[in-house]
Amino acid sequence: GTNKKRPKLIKAPKSSKLCRAVWCLRAGEEVSGKCTFPKCDFMHDVAAFLSSKPQDIGSVCHNFQKYGMCHYGFTCRYGGNHIEGLGNKVNEELWAKYENNPTVSNILKKEIQYELRKRQYDFNRAKQAYCKAQSEVAKNSTMEINTNREKNQKRTSAIEKGEGKIDDHGGSDEQNSFNGSHDHTENSETDSLAPETEHRNCLGNAEDKAESMNAEETITEAADVKPVADVSQKQETQIKDNNLGPAPEEDLIKLNSREKKKIEWRDKTYLAPLTTLGNLPFRRICKQYGVDITCGEMALASCLLQGPPSEWALVKRHESEDCFGIQVCGSNAESMVKCAQVLEENTDADFIDINMGCPIDLIYKQGGGSALMRRHSCLEHMVRGMTKILTKPLTLKMRTAIYHDTQVAHKIITKAKLWDISMITLHGRSKEQRYLKIADWDYINECAMVADPMPLFGNGDVLSFEDYSYHRQHSKVAGIMIGRGALIKPWIFKEIKEQRHWDISSSERFDMLKNYVNYGLEHWGSDTEGIEKTRRFLLEWLSFLHRYIPVGLLEQTQKINQRPLAYYGRNDLETMMASRSVSDWIKISERLLGPTPSDFVFLPKHKANSY
C-alpha cells in the first residue's frame, strides 16, 4: 500500500550551512569563541552567509512573535522580522516566560544520548525485571503442565477401577469429556465467546489446526523448562490439603511493589498513533478540536536504545496534550524491557503502548508489530517484564489476526487479563487485510465482552459522529479510537462532543492549515530544511484531507470506504481542496510556505487504494 520509489530529500553540503553555535548571535556579540569544535565543517562568516541566503518567504516570523526569540536566527526564512545587521533581536519580556518553561517535553539529554550510544547506560533494573518475568512464565507453565498431568492420572485410575461409565466407543464419559476439551479447545473457546444460539462461521477448521499446533509447541517449550526450586513438593502438598475455607488475600489481590498511575479510559475519544502523519503539529490540531487522548507515532525500541534524535523526536510531547502515550514496537522481549526503563526514567508520558498491529512487511518479518499475535510466549515475557519496570499503565494495540479467516484476538485478550494490562485497542481488520474491506465490529463487540472488566477500545471506519454513536450504543467497547477519520476531518472530535454535523467552510479549513504550518515551523524549524520538511508533511496530510466532502453538498452521510466522483465545490478554494492532483496540493502549500524549489518532486507515501 505504499509507493516504493519516492524521491529522497537531498541535503545541502555542510560548507554552505551556518554553524549552529552562531545562529542566534545578538547585536554586539562576536563569532570568535562560540564554536568549540576545532575542525567544524560549517560556515562561521555571518556576513557571507546572509549574502548568499535565499530571499525571505514572509515578513512576520511566527516563532519570534510568539516566544520573543527565534531559535533559527540568521537561518530563518522570515528573518527580516528579527535580524538587525549582524545580530538578532530578542523580546526580553516575552522570552522570559518561555526561557525556562519550554512548551515541548521528552527531549533527550545529551549525556543520556552519549550513554546510549556508547552502551554505558545502566540497565540493571531492566535485567532484573526480565529475569523475574522469565521465572513467572516458567513457573506458570510448569504448574499448568503438572495440573494437566494430575488430572490425566486421576481420570486414568478412575477408568481402571471401573468407576467411569464406558460408552459405545470404548471410552468413559470422563475420558471423552477430557479428550473433547483437550482436542477441541478452539470450539469450546468459540462457544464461550459467541452467543448460545449462534456461532461465528469464520472460526473454523483452519484455526482449530493452528491452535492445536500452537498448543503442542507451548507444551513442548514448557516441558523443557526446569521447575522453580523455591516450591518444594511438601509445600505443594500442603497447598492441596488446605484448600478449604476462605481464599487468602494474596490470591485475590496482586500486590505491586509501588503504586501505579490509573487512567479513566471509558467514554474518551482517542486519536490513533499514526506513522508519518500523527506528528506533534497534527496532534496539536486535534487537541484544538477536543480529542481526549493522544499517542505519539510508532517508535522502534531498538532505535530508541541507540539514541538517534530522529527516533526520539517521535516521543516528544506538547504541553496541550494532557493525556499522552508513547507507542513502542519491538520483536525482542529484553530490548523492549530496556526501552521501557529508558522511557520511564527520561520521558513524561501517561501510558506506554505496545504495537501489535503494524502490517508493514519489514516490521512483520523481524517478528514485531502484528507478528506478536503469533508469538505468545515472547509477548508474555515482554509484557510481564515491562509492567515490572513501569509506574504508568501499559496498553496493547492489536488487530483481529494475521489472516482474516483465523481470528485470534479473543485468545490474546483472555491471557492479557492476567498480565496487568490497563487497556486494549482492537482494530477490526487482520494484518492481511490492512485497510481493505469493512472493519468487523461484531467481532470487536465479542472481544469487548471477553475483555470485561478490562476496558477495550474499538477502531475502524469511524468518519462521523453518527458512526461513533452507533458503535458506542451497539457494542460493549469502553471507547473508540479514530485514525483515518481524523486525518480526513480532524474536527470529527468536535462533532462527537457536540453531536452534530459541522459544515466547515473552505476558509476555516485554510485557517486550520495555517495553524498546522505555524506549528510545523515551531517543531521542524523556520530555516530552509525545516520549511521543506513542513511542506512535505503538509502534502502527506493533504493526500488524506482532500477526501472530505463538505456536508452541504451531500444527500447522505459520507462513509469512509466510499470513493466519490470528482465534483465542484462552492468556491474555487473548496474545489482545489477536493482535488486528487498532487499539483493542486503543491499550489496550496505554496500559498502557505512560498514557492517550491526548482527540483521539487512529491509522491505521497500511501497509494490509498482503499478508502
Side-chain angles (χ1 to χ4, degrees), residues 428-577:
R429 295 181 180 87
S430 64
K431 181 262 179 189
E432 186 182 46
Q433 289 175 311
R434 294 182 71 96
Y435 294 97
L436 294 172
K437 309 299 181 182
I438 303 297
D440 190 351
W441 274 91
D442 292 335
Y443 183 65
I444 292 175
N445 183 38
E446 293 177 4
C447 289
M449 291 188 287
V450 172
D452 189 65
M454 180 179 63
L456 183 139
F457 271 56
N459 174 228
D461 300 343
V462 175
L463 188 60
S464 65
F465 82 92
E466 294 177 349
D467 296 334
Y468 180 91
S469 300
Y470 177 83
H471 293 309
R472 289 291 286 116
Q473 294 172 4
H474 293 81
S475 66
K476 301 294 184 181
V477 295
I480 293 178
M481 173 186 282
I482 302 176
R484 288 180 301 159
L487 292 174
I488 297 171
K489 45 184 290 189
W491 53 92
I492 185 176
F493 302 107
K494 183 175 181 179
E495 291 185 348
I496 291 171
K497 295 291 176 74
E498 299 179 0
Q499 288 292 294
R500 68 176 181 90
H501 289 293
W502 182 18
D503 188 11
I504 185 172
S505 65
S506 58
S507 60
E508 289 174 314
R509 292 162 65 191
F510 192 73
D511 289 339
M512 176 188 69
L513 295 179
K514 283 183 180 178
N515 291 334
Y516 179 83
V517 167
N518 287 334
Y519 298 155
L521 295 178
E522 293 180 33
H523 186 60
W524 293 298
S526 56
D527 59 336
T528 301
E529 285 190 10
I531 286 173
E532 293 311 310
K533 280 186 180 180
T534 304
R535 190 193 304 277
R536 289 186 178 274
F537 281 108
L538 173 64
L539 292 172
E540 291 285 359
W541 185 22
L542 287 172
S543 69
F544 281 89
L545 200 60
H546 82 278
R547 301 183 190 180
Y548 169 71
I549 306 174
V551 176
L553 303 179
L554 292 172
E555 293 181 355
Q556 60 183 14
T557 305
Q558 180 184 3
K559 298 296 182 182
I560 201 169
N561 61 317
Q562 294 174 342
R563 188 188 296 266
L565 299 173
Y567 64 92
Y568 284 101
R570 291 166 289 190
N571 53 51
D572 291 340
L573 181 58
E574 193 169 77
T575 303
M576 182 181 291
M577 287 181 168

Side-chain angles (χ1 to χ4, degrees), residues 7-25:
K8 295 182 179 180
L9 182 64
I10 301 176
K11 295 183 179 181
K14 292 182 179 180
S15 58
S16 64
K17 297 180 181 179
L18 189 66
C19 179
R20 283 180 176 266
V22 297
W23 275 11
C24 300
L25 285 179

